[in-house]
Amino acid sequence: MTANGHPRTDYLILADYVLSSYGWLQPGYVTVSGDKISAVSGGVPDEEQYAQAGEVIRARGMALMPGLLNGHTHFSQTFMRGLAGGRPLLSWLKELIWPLQSALTVDDLHLAALLGLVENMRCGVTYVVNHHKVTSSRAHTETVLSAIASSGMRATLARAWSDRGANAENPDAIAAELKEGFEQYANTHPFIRYASGPLTPWRCSAKMLQKTHQLARDFDSVTHIHVSETQDEVKMTLQETGMRPVAWLDHLGVLDEHIQVVHAVWTDVQELDLLAQRKSTVVHCPVSNAVMGSGIAPISEMLARRIPLYLGTDGPASNDTQDLFETAKATIMLARARMCDASIMSPASILDLALNGNRLAVGTPADLILVNLDHTRAAPVHDIDSALMLSTHGSDIDSVMVAGRFLLRNGQVTVLDEQALLEACRHALINLRRRAGL
Ligand SMILES: [Zn+2]
């Protein structure tokens, strides 16, 4: 305690495994003061550290590590789970996803976003990139931003748009709304970032891709776009432009460090070299790509070229969960199966991807999770990285903290009434199906 009787640290958290900048501490402990981590150490705390702690948490049988990053999802699709079966991507979009999206009310979307945020939180994610596709009114976007703010999570809202094909928007209106969003959120909000989210190269004009990307660059933000998810899409761009999609984006001058290329399943050697040269980020969504029968992205070739990578679940309509632990395991399994090589994709290297390279370190934001390994699926633990990447499910997350605040504690969501949310979602879905004519 300090002289006036106040604790010097808010939390002292002891765990069997603590992921520090120097690797795993077994055991170790962390202290949290305000919104930052104030100490990280191996072994056990001394008496003074106990005395100075506002609360002591003993996480026996658990791993304490930074929260995960989910690099791509669509919250609106929490209301479209289980609809992936049996259709290729383009007919799936036209027959199911687009009609349901256009029938979502503002209230539906608020519930869907909260559901998506809580699902990510429950799976150990503290930062999620939401490619926000339901933009029929400004209120639809504002309600998602308000859901993010009320969840306590960190998120990027990548405002989706298209100025070609079905439901094309007016280019001037898109540019004006993006500019407003950037002005309001880019680099100024502590938890929310804003990005441009063109749907795909074939749904967006060259001129608008260039214009909006320049806007994103001006605000030090990003363009977040689906690229080369299926072979059909590659053929379409080839027919229209004479170039493959990644080469086309490079030709337009938008392939740089300010772009997040989601999927990149069908990329050839020249395109992979371009992605590496331009330092563009690829978001790898292996579960969604497999469920949709789209293919397996060449992730080992991307890693070999040191292309920056995020893991993403993609939306629940094509996954059907947002469990990033499942995505991490699928990343390992599918890449090894594709290359017939069990020596690649070490669990430690894929954990590093899932964490976006973060470690628990003094002075960094207190965004951390406790993962329970004391159960029959994981115990006994020989190798902590394997236990986390091959034996763990999102349901093993015990607690989630963002900026020093517990959002999930001992398996209970603290930021909202989860049962009431589930009940409201069930009720809303009945009406949504009726309106969409399903
Ligand atoms: Zn997507």
Side-chain angles (χ1 to χ4, degrees):
M1 295 282 173
T2 57
N4 61 7
H6 292 304
R8 287 181 193 276
T9 61
D10 295 306
Y11 297 102
L12 167 62
I13 311 174
L14 295 74
D16 287 3
Y17 309 89
V18 173
L19 186 53
S20 76
S21 309
Y22 306 102
W24 285 106
L25 308 168
Q26 305 182 37
Y29 63 92
V30 161
T31 62
V32 174
S33 304
D35 60 358
K36 298 271 192 326
I37 292 172
S38 48
V40 180
S41 178
V44 291
D46 59 28
E47 280 184 21
E48 194 183 341
Q49 284 168 312
Y50 276 110
Q52 289 181 348
E55 183 178 352
V56 177
I57 297 169
R58 292 180 173 81
R60 290 204 181 88
M62 295 193 198
L64 176 61
M65 61 186 201
L68 309 182
L69 168 80
N70 184 355
H72 179 70
T73 188
H74 309 282
F75 290 155
S76 54
Q77 291 185 4
T78 53
F79 274 23
M80 302 168 200
R81 282 181 217 275
L83 295 179
R87 288 176 174 85
L89 179 83
L90 297 184
S91 58
W92 170 78
L93 285 169
K94 286 176 188 159
E95 292 161 24
L96 287 172
I97 300 307
W98 291 342
L100 275 166
Q101 275 178 191
S102 56
L104 278 167
T105 65
V106 172
D107 289 345
D108 290 338
L109 190 57
H110 192 79
L111 292 170
L114 286 175
L115 193 60
L117 286 155
V118 172
E119 184 188 3
N120 273 282
M121 180 198 300
R122 279 202 164 279
C123 294
V125 168
T126 54
Y127 192 138
V128 53
V129 181
N130 176 42
H131 198 180
H132 167 61
K133 294 213 269 189
V134 185
T135 53
S136 24
S137 75
R138 290 281 183 110
H140 282 83
T141 302
E142 279 155 18
T143 204
V144 174
L145 289 164
S146 104
I148 294 168
S150 67
S151 74
M153 298 267 285
R154 294 187 201 272
T156 293
L157 182 136
R159 198 280 193 196
W161 59 267
S162 72
D163 65 334
R164 299 180 67 200
N167 302 318
E169 292 179 82
N170 175 286
D172 292 337
I174 296 168
E177 188 174 330
L178 287 175
K179 187 159 184 287
E180 271 180 44
F182 282 129
E183 281 167 353
Q184 193 173 350
Y185 288 99
N187 295 327
T188 54
H189 195 282
F191 293 90
I192 301 173
R193 297 209 68 194
Y194 190 88
S196 170
L199 280 176
T200 63
W202 54 275
R203 292 286 309 273
C204 301
S205 68
K207 192 176 160 197
M208 275 298 285
L209 281 169
Q210 291 168 322
K211 183 173 180 176
T212 55
H213 190 65
Q214 186 56 48
L215 206 52
R217 287 181 59 104
D218 291 346
F219 285 93
D220 196 24
S221 184
V222 295
T223 294
H224 182 86
I225 179 170
H226 298 112
V227 180
S228 300
E229 182 174 357
T230 64
Q231 288 174 296
D232 285 348
E233 292 177 290
V234 175
K235 276 185 212 151
M236 281 159 52
T237 303
L238 260 173
Q239 276 169 6
E240 194 180 347
T241 69
M243 292 178 221
R244 297 174 63 88
V246 172
W248 172 239
L249 293 174
D250 191 55
H251 174 76
L252 297 180
V254 303
L255 198 71
D256 57 21
E257 66 276 18
H258 288 273
I259 195 167
Q260 295 172 353
V261 172
V262 182
H263 298 303
V265 175
W266 297 99
T267 37
D268 68 11
V269 171
Q270 286 77 26
E271 288 178 297
L272 290 170
D273 288 342
L274 273 176
L275 287 164
Q277 284 162 18
R278 306 293 185 243
K279 297 185 172 60
S280 303
T281 297
V282 169
V283 187
H284 182 54
C285 306
V287 176
S288 171
N289 298 151
V291 168
M292 295 301 292
S294 298
I296 303 173
I299 188 171
S300 36
E301 291 90 327
M302 293 175 189
L303 284 167
R305 286 170 173 77
R306 299 184 180 279
I307 294 171
L309 281 164
Y310 290 166
L311 298 184
T313 57
D314 208 347
S318 65
N319 183 305
D320 293 46
T321 75
Q322 297 176 94
D323 186 342
L324 205 82
F325 284 95
E326 185 183 66
T327 291
K329 183 169 180 175
T331 298
I332 297 170
M333 291 191 306
L334 292 171
R336 287 180 179 179
R338 177 173 166 270
M339 303 300 280
C340 297
D341 185 353
S343 72
I344 61 171
M345 316 299 278
S346 71
S349 69
I350 303 309
L351 177 62
D352 194 50
L353 279 188
L355 296 170
N356 194 27
N358 288 326
R359 297 289 182 273
L360 301 174
V362 174
T364 60
D367 294 1
L368 47 86
I369 61 174
L370 283 168
V371 189
N372 183 18
L373 299 168
D374 191 22
H375 51 73
T376 52
R377 214 175 338 96
V381 176
H382 275 294
D383 177 277
I384 180 64
D385 298 305
S386 296
L388 287 164
M389 291 292 90
L390 299 173
S391 305
T392 296
H393 294 173
S395 55
D396 300 325
I397 301 302
D398 176 86
S399 298
V400 173
M401 175 184 279
V402 172
R405 175 191 180 203
F406 276 111
L407 310 182
L408 182 81
R409 182 92 192 261
N410 301 328
Q412 298 295 315
V413 176
T414 65
V415 290
L416 53 76
D417 181 341
E418 192 177 16
Q419 283 310 313
L421 172 65
L422 291 171
E423 181 56 34
C425 289
R426 274 192 289 272
H427 188 72
L429 187 66
I430 295 167
N431 292 324
L432 173 66
R433 288 184 66 94
R434 190 165 36 77
R435 282 198 305 278
L438 295 178

